[in-house]
Amino acid sequence: MRKTFLFTLLFLVFFQGFSQANYPKDYFIKPLEVPLILSGTFGELRTNHFHGGLDIKTQQREGLNVVAAADGYVSRINVAHWGYGKALYITHPNGYTTVYGHLKKFAPEIEAYVKQQQYKKQRYTLELFPQANALKVEKGKLVAYSGNSGSSGGPHLHFEIRDGKSNPINPMFFGIDIPDHQQPLIRAGVVYSFGDSTNVDGTDAVKELIIKNKNGNLVANPISAYGKIGIGINAVDKLDGALNNNGIFNLQMTVNGKKVYEHEVNTVSFAETRYINTLIDYERYFKKRQKIQRCFVEPSNKLSIYKSLINNGYLTIEDGLSYNVEITAKDFKGNTTKLIIPIKGKKTTTIVKTESKKTPHFFRANEFNKINKENISVAFPKNSFYEDIYFDFSYDNNIVKLHNGGIPLHRNFTLTFDISDYPAKDKKQVIIASINDKGRRSYASTKRKDNKVYTLSRSLGNYTLAIDSVAPKISPVNFKDKQWLSKYRYLKLKITDNLSGIKSYRGEIDGKWVLFEYEPKKNVLTYDFNDGKIEGVKHKLKLTVVDNVNNTNVYIASFNTK
């Protein structure tokens, strides 16, 4: 018995120590040669996903040296208009892969390899998987230059460490040290009621807590409640050297000293990440742009970030009892902020009820749902919704109302229009467009089949049909027709489209394809004369731009070089 106990104890100690030291602490170095200051933390709450890496500031500029975090080889290169933009993936002997995103360009050897493939395939965007021995890199040596490509909102480096299953892991576990002496901020708290007899301060509406600072602690004004309730908070983290509102690392809740809830985002599974919409109060975020993290787990929530749960974090408040709820937000360095919420159990027979809107369309989340009306249909696959819902639908004046954007979807729905009645000349130019609150139309990726057009989307709201008959516009930025360009390094043109957006472009000089890099955030195409020597003096530039309904514009100009 004693031997068994000792063996079990040693095993647990060993296993705990092994799990805590599972990540090598001195294998990877920082990917930039400047002090690391973050604009985004790992696991941060982003739109429809958790942030899978560290966003490292680059001193508000592009072109900083990006170095390999360890020895390895380039296993993947992606060049895209959006997402990570120009991104580099390096696989290391220990089985991990590091990712470097939003780059300006690659180191010379890698850049030459990429451009060779771009000219071979005659396209700017591409995804490459070099062989293991093709592009080896050394720890601390240059692999790229930082930039602002893709969906970046400003110059920075997105850095990830992924395991053998391609799941990102917090790089700070590997010894990537970020100075942080600041506590997280808890900026708001709310309480939710569940059930007919449940109330908070006499109502079943969402209760916003009034929070005050008392003797260095955050304390909410006391509330009365009865029945099944849930609590959520809005919390952000602050780090040294930056004003950014970053994500917290750990969130836990105790009731009368007993832990009932804890989550911690150590790793991110791409298969799970969209379930972030069940962690936050999505409707509140849609209406107020405030991210409330729920300290309870709804039935549709399939995240594996939870470390400790009792009754899935829901609280059952009994009449006449007192409850001291403490919610603690913690960052990776262990800095904490606590919110204390005093609750008094009080049963009442008079509850102010919030009115819930009922519609003719009741959707069950675990069923396939479809609506047909006149020339349109909308279909929602099983498990598109996270919970059952009375769905608000209408179709008037050629505008389809699909509830509102405050309801998140886990799967794409299909919206289909029958355009049989449209004139033949218009059918190829008909698109589906979403309409925002200001009435602005935006192209929704439109597919065609026979006399129907359809789109796949996860965004509810208003949609309509539109006709795009206007070709894209092309205008030179830094040169004029028939100009001498001998001392020019770059040739730049601006391309825009009024509705459906740019689908493709093709640049030629003297009849040969040349590489134009596209920056969609600025609508600019750029050709680098250093890509190759142009023979002769007189040259002809031809740029063909096509939008998403195949309206085409061709720009032709001549220029001279020595």
Side-chain angles (χ1 to χ4, degrees), residues 456-471:
L456 303 176
S457 177
R458 282 193 292 244
S459 298
L460 297 175
N462 294 340
Y463 289 83
T464 190
L465 290 178
I467 295 177
D468 183 0
S469 59
V470 179

Side-chain angles (χ1 to χ4, degrees), residues 322-338:
S322 296
Y323 302 82
N324 187 67
V325 177
E326 294 186 358
I327 297 178
T328 303
K330 182 167 65 172
D331 63 26
F332 189 86
K333 287 296 185 72
N335 301 307
T336 62
T337 296
K338 184 178 294 185

Side-chain angles (χ1 to χ4, degrees), residues 419 422-431 446 448 450 453 466-469 500 547-551:
I419 58 172
Y422 276 70
K425 65 181 182 66
D426 292 337
K427 286 183 179 179
K428 292 184 178 181
Q429 297 176 323
V430 171
I431 65 165
T446 304
R448 303 169 192 279
D450 301 326
V453 292
I467 295 177
D468 183 0
S469 59
S500 65
D547 69 15
N548 279 294
V549 293
N550 295 320
N551 294 311

